[in-house]
Amino acid sequence: MNNTKVALVTGANKGIGYAIAEGIGRLGYTVIVGARDETRRDDAVEKLHAADTDAFGVTLDVTSEASVAAAAKTIEERVGRLDVLINNAGISGRAEAGAQDPTTLDLGVMQTVLETNVFGVVRVTNAMLPLLRRATSPRIVNISSNMGSLTLQTGPILAAYASSKSMLNSITTQYARAFNDTNIIINAACPGYVATDFTGFNSPRTADQGAVIALRLATLPDDGPRGGFFDDGGVVPW
């Protein structure tokens, strides 16, 4: 195990996840690209190598206990610890035909969204905790959305997606309380409305701009904030 810091980014094969991976690679971290799609994962690793970033990929389906456990084992064998975990993998869920209108909510859609956006984050975080605890200043960043803000109530009505981000914010605060007397710092980040396939590229805001807050929270000093919700403008109201 060498002194180079190591960061795992889930869903890092494209969009904001890749921008985060690229950004943290520029800071000198070894980057682990966690993704289900083998071809896109390998392509992302090749692009990072071309940018002079030390990187490798791991198969990671956040909805699968076996996949997450196998990824943790691979990371332990290859690098021995994690300094940063960025839980970026997420889905919006099917929305047509009133599937995410609360009055006609498709509970199957909601369950699917929660499985990735909330349960997947818990599954990955808990599997990686032994590796994070070996680091000097471990950081966890959960990629959320201001659509999960109960105060702002932004964006279209997407009852499954927005609720999943509200729950993600809540579980982030619970982790922060559990980590209160440790060196692990966890926060939630809102990248904003970014031009990715997630949004149909319907925004002037770039993935690199969306990655800024995640990179800031991933590299916080030891006296940095804990259990907060931030975008690149500052604190996002709950």
Side-chain angles (χ1 to χ4, degrees):
M1 188 166 62
N2 61 36
N3 293 323
T4 302
K5 289 189 174 183
V6 182
L8 167 63
V9 185
T10 69
N13 57 312
K14 61 180 180 177
I16 294 170
Y18 179 78
I20 293 169
E22 191 175 50
I24 205 159
R26 285 196 298 266
L27 297 176
Y29 287 67
T30 292
V31 178
I32 306 170
V33 176
R36 292 180 300 178
D37 188 299
E38 182 178 357
T39 300
R40 286 180 173 177
R41 186 177 65 244
D42 290 347
D43 288 347
V45 170
E46 283 187 21
K47 286 170 64 179
L48 290 169
H49 286 166
D52 295 323
T53 293
D54 183 29
F56 65 91
V58 292
T59 302
L60 185 56
D61 177 355
V62 303
T63 69
S64 165
E65 296 280 353
S67 175
V68 171
K73 182 178 180 181
T74 298
I75 294 167
E76 180 168 22
E77 291 172 349
R78 291 199 59 167
V79 290
R81 73 163 191 280
L82 270 183
D83 297 273
V84 171
L85 168 61
I86 299 178
N87 287 306
N88 166 75
I91 60 173
S92 58
R94 182 173 62 82
E96 64 271 15
Q100 292 203 45
D101 183 316
T103 66
T104 54
L105 182 61
D106 185 323
L107 295 182
V109 170
M110 189 165 195
Q111 184 173 12
T112 299
V113 171
L114 289 174
E115 187 63 53
T116 294
N117 294 3
V118 181
F119 307 153
V121 169
V122 173
R123 189 175 288 117
V124 172
T125 300
N126 290 351
M128 302 301 163
L129 274 178
L131 296 169
L132 287 159
R133 289 189 169 116
R134 295 176 188 169
T136 303
S137 299
R139 304 289 180 260
I140 302 172
V141 183
N142 292 335
I143 302 303
S144 185
S145 167
N146 58 21
M147 286 183 65
S149 167
L150 304 182
T151 301
L152 297 180
Q153 299 182 28
T154 59
I157 294 176
L158 290 174
Y161 176 75
S163 296
S164 78
K165 293 304 183 179
S166 299
M167 189 172 178
L168 178 62
N169 290 345
S170 180
I171 198 70
T172 300
T173 66
Q174 295 300 305
Y175 272 116
R177 293 177 66 191
F179 296 150
N180 187 54
D181 295 324
T182 77
N183 60 350
I184 302 175
I185 295 180
I186 185 170
N187 288 285
C190 172
Y193 192 66
V194 172
T196 65
D197 57 2
F198 194 86
T199 62
F201 296 94
N202 186 31
S203 173
R205 184 173 172 84
T206 67
D208 287 341
Q209 289 173 312
V212 167
I213 184 57
L215 296 174
R216 189 181 303 164
L217 295 175
T219 55
L220 283 173
D222 290 340
D223 61 351
R226 293 168 175 257
F229 183 23
F230 303 93
D231 61 17
D232 53 12
V235 175
V236 179
W238 297 114

